[in-house]
Amino acid sequence: MFKALVVEKDDSGYRTSLQSIDEAQLPEGDVTIQVSWSTLNYKDGLAITGKGPVVRKFPLTPGIDMAGTVIESSHSRWKEGDKVLLNGWGVGESHSGCLAQKARVKGDWLVPLPDKFSERQAMSIGTAGYTAMLCVMALEKHGIKPTDGEILVTGANGGVGSIAIILLKKMGYTVIASTGRLEEEAHLKSLGAAGIIDRKELSEPGRPLGKERWAGVVDSVGSTTLANACSTTKYAGAIAACGLAGGADLPVTVMPFILRGITLYGIDSVMAPLERRIEAWGRLAELLDISKLESNTTEVGLEEAIAVGPQLLEGKVRGRVVVDVNR
């Protein structure tokens, strides 16, 4: 038996609780993992609260991220004792996930834990940080250089935004952070932001084509914020869009695309191929300042994660939350 969060839905409603699970209830897979640490992302908040159609089957253990040790494997790439991590692949949505002391998954979904990171540190990064790296890689491969101008990061206090700031600063870019929590200015500047703007500047409907400002953008908000980011990006600039915390709509015109030649990159971390995942985690190991990562991380126990879910959705959580599944 092991402990796990379980999401259930029946005639009495939707609920998440801490339960004891028999290993026989684990889903199909060719690798079984002793989970050491998990984490909470926006999608996990939706799964825990039921405020979004994330969970596709019931009952199910939420949690899209984990770091841990292989305890049983019939997969050719993995053996007992290997340190691994997992991000996405529908785990915590249609396949029971990682907010548990044990998990069983497909070996093809796993990435080796980089030597630089402990299991806890890897979950301080999690899908949010891995997605931030994919966004930064997209801007880099587009050819945007630090000398080209400012990079806008929206949703800056969230997991993606905060780690994007750390990475971009390390790479020499000038970062402007957009946030609704202006009281967090000192924290965001400690991560590497050169300046702060109120998210209200981007969340209200703007002009189809605004004054050029941004060489590039990392956006986790979507909706009007993303539309305004597009309309104010410089000629031949690029936006990496990875989230919809502000909404799934995109009220933008074609003008920024056909008159300024900007590029909008869609960043998917859930189904990204193994090669890209390994590249992203390698770059994270190369660039991420672990001391800044620690100041950006809060730790909770497994049952405590239930209460954090709604806080994530309300934008009340700073940076990253790691979950010690053994307490």
Side-chain angles (χ1 to χ4, degrees):
M1 302 293 288
F2 62 92
K3 293 181 180 179
L5 296 190
V6 178
V7 176
E8 298 172 288
K9 184 180 181 181
D10 52 31
D11 291 342
S12 63
Y14 188 107
R15 60 194 177 277
T16 301
S17 61
L18 180 66
Q19 299 184 19
S20 291
I21 302 294
D22 191 289
E23 190 169 319
Q25 295 175 258
L26 285 170
E28 291 184 3
D30 48 17
V31 181
T32 304
I33 297 160
Q34 187 76 49
V35 181
S36 300
W37 293 88
S38 186
T39 183
L40 294 173
N41 301 282
Y42 190 83
K43 187 178 286 185
D44 298 313
L46 293 173
I48 288 169
T49 62
K51 292 185 176 179
V54 170
V55 177
R56 313 285 172 78
K57 57 186 290 189
F58 300 91
L60 183 130
T61 293
I64 66 175
D65 287 343
M66 69 174 163
T69 305
V70 174
I71 54 177
E72 186 178 348
S73 173
S74 59
H75 191 281
S76 60
R77 287 178 54 224
W78 307 110
K79 64 182 186 304
E80 183 179 349
D82 285 344
K83 299 290 186 181
V84 295
L85 57 86
L86 180 142
N87 312 109
W89 292 116
V91 174
E93 300 177 68
S94 56
H95 185 100
S96 265
C98 310
L99 287 167
Q101 293 175 317
K102 287 185 180 181
R104 182 173 292 138
V105 299
K106 293 183 179 180
D108 289 344
W109 296 344
L110 298 171
V111 173
L113 179 72
D115 292 339
K116 179 178 178 179
F117 301 131
S118 68
E119 291 158 305
R120 185 184 188 278
Q121 289 166 342
M123 289 298 96
S124 295
I125 301 166
T127 284
Y130 148 64
T131 303
M133 189 72 251
L134 292 175
C135 290
V136 172
M137 286 162 54
L139 299 185
E140 184 181 42
K141 290 177 180 179
H142 187 79
I144 298 172
K145 303 181 295 296
T147 53
D148 290 336
E150 297 172 324
I151 305 295
L152 171 67
V153 174
T154 69
N157 271 302
V160 172
S162 58
I163 295 182
I165 292 169
I166 298 172
L167 293 169
L168 289 162
K169 171 63 175 178
K170 178 71 172 181
M171 296 169 72
Y173 292 93
T174 300
V175 183
I176 304 300
S178 169
T179 180
R181 288 183 280 166
L182 297 180
E183 69 276 10
E184 295 283 0
E185 179 175 358
H187 173 65
L188 292 172
K189 287 187 173 179
S190 75
L191 297 181
I196 310 295
I197 62 171
D198 193 325
R199 70 179 173 201
K200 291 179 182 178
E201 294 186 32
L202 297 167
S203 60
E204 299 295 331
R207 299 169 59 188
L209 206 60
K211 183 178 179 181
E212 295 180 60
R213 179 169 183 182
W214 318 113
V217 180
V218 174
D219 176 67
S220 60
V221 179
S223 192
T224 305
T225 294
L226 177 53
N228 284 325
C230 289
S231 73
T232 51
T233 294
K234 290 182 178 182
Y235 188 88
I239 301 100
C242 65
L244 43 64
D249 60 319
L250 183 56
V252 69
T253 74
V254 299
M255 290 184 182
F257 304 98
I258 65 173
L259 298 180
R260 290 186 181 157
I262 71 164
T263 300
L264 177 58
Y265 289 100
I267 306 300
D268 167 57
S269 60
V270 177
M271 304 303 290
L274 180 62
E275 296 78 12
R276 194 176 306 155
R277 292 168 182 266
I278 291 174
E279 180 186 1
W281 277 100
R283 295 297 302 283
L284 285 162
E286 171 193 342
L287 294 170
L288 201 56
D289 185 329
I290 293 177
S291 63
K292 289 184 178 180
L293 185 65
E294 184 59 33
S295 71
N296 196 50
T297 302
T298 302
E299 180 183 319
V300 299
L302 190 54
E303 189 168 21
E304 294 173 286
I306 299 172
V308 179
Q311 296 173 25
L312 270 170
L313 303 187
E314 293 164 10
K316 295 180 178 179
V317 174
R318 171 201 278 185
R320 304 287 294 123
V321 178
V322 293
V323 182
D324 181 350
V325 300
N326 294 304
R327 75 170 176 88

